[in-house]
Amino acid sequence: MIKRPYWLSLIHAAWSKRPLVWLSGVRRVGKTTLTKMLAGAVCLNCDLPSDERRLEDPEHFLSSLPQDGILILDEIHRLKDPSRVMKIAADVFPRLHVLATGSSTLAATGKFRDSLTGRKTVVNLTPVLWTECADGFSTMDLDRRLLNGGLPEQLLAEKPDHAFFSEWLDGFYARDIQELFGIRERTGFLNLLRLMLRQSGGTVDYSALSRECDLSRPTVKAHLEAMSVACALFALPPFHGGGRREQLKRPKVYAFDTGFVSFVRGSSEIRDTDRGLLWEHLVLDALRTSAGEHGLGYWRDKSGREVDFVLSRGRKVEAFECKINPDRLETESLRVFRGFYPDGDNFVVSPGTVKPYVRTLDGMTVHFVGCRELLEKSWN
C-alpha cells in the first residue's frame, strides 16, 4: 500500500470548510484505498445491494452515526438518488464529515439532481505525484514513474503490465463511459481515446481527429467531453490577453497518466525525446492539485514561442517552464511573454532540483524549483 498523507491533509482541510467532500479520479487511482486510511470512518460501498438498502431511509441511517464522525460513500453514483443522500447529510447533520467518491465529476450523470452548491468541496485524486514517489520510494527513478505510470498497482510493479492497461481501457469504457453517457460506439470511442493518449500534450484539431477516427466532428467533440468529465483527459486552454499574435483557440489536451501514454506508444523504455513531454504531465498534476484548474493554461504565439504553463491571478500571471535539465533553459519565449505580461514570477520546474534557487537570466528573475515547491506554495 502506498501511503498518501498529502491527500489526507487535503481532505481534512476541505472538511474544515464544508461538510461534504467529493473525491473524484479515474478508476483504480486509489480512491477506495485512500478512504481506508481515514481512521474510524464508517464506509459504505454503494455497489453492494446491502449497503444501498441501508441508505433507502437516509435520515434514519445518518442519525444512527456518531455526529462528529466520518462517513464514506464509495461509488455513490451507483445509488438511485445520490444527491438526496448528500444533501440530507449536509443540511440535517452538518457536523458529520462525508466523503463521497466517484470516477467522474459530480454532474456527470442525470442522477445528480442537485449540484450541492455551497455544501461540497471537490478533491481530484491524481495518479501518484512525483513528490509522493520521492517520499515513499527511496529507489524510485523518474523513468520508472514515467513508464509505469502513477496508478498504484502499476507503480509498484517491476515493469509495466500491458494486460493491465488494456483491461483498464475496456473497463473504463464499460463501467464509466457506457453507464454514465450511454455511448454505444465502443470501437470508435476507444480508437479516439488511444489516439488522444498517443498525442497527449498536443493541441486539438477536431477535423483531423474526425478524419483519422472516422467519426463525425460533433461525435469527436462529444466523446472528448465525456473523456474529460470522466477524468481521463484534461484540456488546457490557451492563455491570451487579446494580442493579435497569440494562440486564441486550440486547447492542449493531456492524458491523466504517463503510463498509458507510454503504453499506447509501444514504449518499453523512456526515450530521450519523450522524457521532457512526460515530465510536463507530472508538473501539471502538481499545479492542478495545488493551484486548482481556474486560471491555468498555456501560452503560445503565432511564431511558435511557447510557455509550458501559466497561472493567471488577476493582473499577475505566473509562468512555468518544465525542464529535465534546467541548464538547457532557453529564455526567448519567456522574455517575449513577459513583454506582454510583466507582472508575475517565473519558474523552471525540474525533477533534479532538490533545493530551490534563483538566477537572473536575460534580465529576468527565474526561480528554479521542484514539484514539492509547487505543492507547498499558496497561489491565491
Side-chain angles (χ1 to χ4, degrees), residues 54 89 206:
R54 295 174 72 183
Y206 295 112

Side-chain angles (χ1 to χ4, degrees), residues 208-233:
L209 292 172
S210 174
R211 290 192 299 271
E212 190 155 354
C213 294
D214 195 24
L215 298 169
S216 70
R217 199 170 186 274
T219 297
V220 167
K221 296 185 75 171
H223 284 1
L224 293 183
E225 176 66 17
M227 294 173 196
S228 296
V229 169
C231 305
L233 299 178

Side-chain angles (χ1 to χ4, degrees), residues 4 25 60 65 87 185 230 243-244 267 294 331 335:
R4 311 192 73 177
H60 174 75
L65 302 176
K87 186 175 181 180
E185 302 165 310
R244 294 181 180 179
S267 302
H294 176 69
T331 60
R335 177 180 54 78

Side-chain angles (χ1 to χ4, degrees), residues 273-293:
T273 53
D274 293 336
R275 191 174 290 112
L277 176 61
L278 293 175
W279 170 243
E280 286 183 27
H281 291 67
L282 302 192
V283 176
L284 181 59
D285 281 348
L287 281 172
R288 291 175 63 195
T289 299
S290 62
E293 297 175 2

Side-chain angles (χ1 to χ4, degrees), residues 8 180 257 267 366 370:
L8 294 176
L180 290 176
D257 182 59
S267 302
V366 181

Side-chain angles (χ1 to χ4, degrees), residues 284-352:
L284 181 59
D285 281 348
L287 281 172
R288 291 175 63 195
T289 299
S290 62
E293 297 175 2
H294 176 69
L296 189 60
Y298 77 99
W299 180 84
R300 180 185 293 168
D301 69 9
K302 293 184 178 179
S303 297
R305 289 172 294 216
E306 181 175 323
V307 176
D308 291 331
F309 304 123
V310 299
L311 181 63
S312 174
R313 291 292 187 263
R315 292 187 60 184
K316 189 174 183 181
V317 186
E318 318 284 13
F320 304 86
E321 292 280 43
C322 308
K323 294 294 177 186
I324 296 295
N325 183 347
D327 294 334
R328 294 184 177 178
L329 173 70
E330 296 179 0
T331 60
E332 181 185 4
S333 294
L334 198 56
R335 177 180 54 78
V336 173
F337 175 77
R338 284 301 174 204
F340 289 105
Y341 309 102
D343 296 331
D345 293 325
N346 307 305
F347 298 89
V348 175
V349 191
S350 303

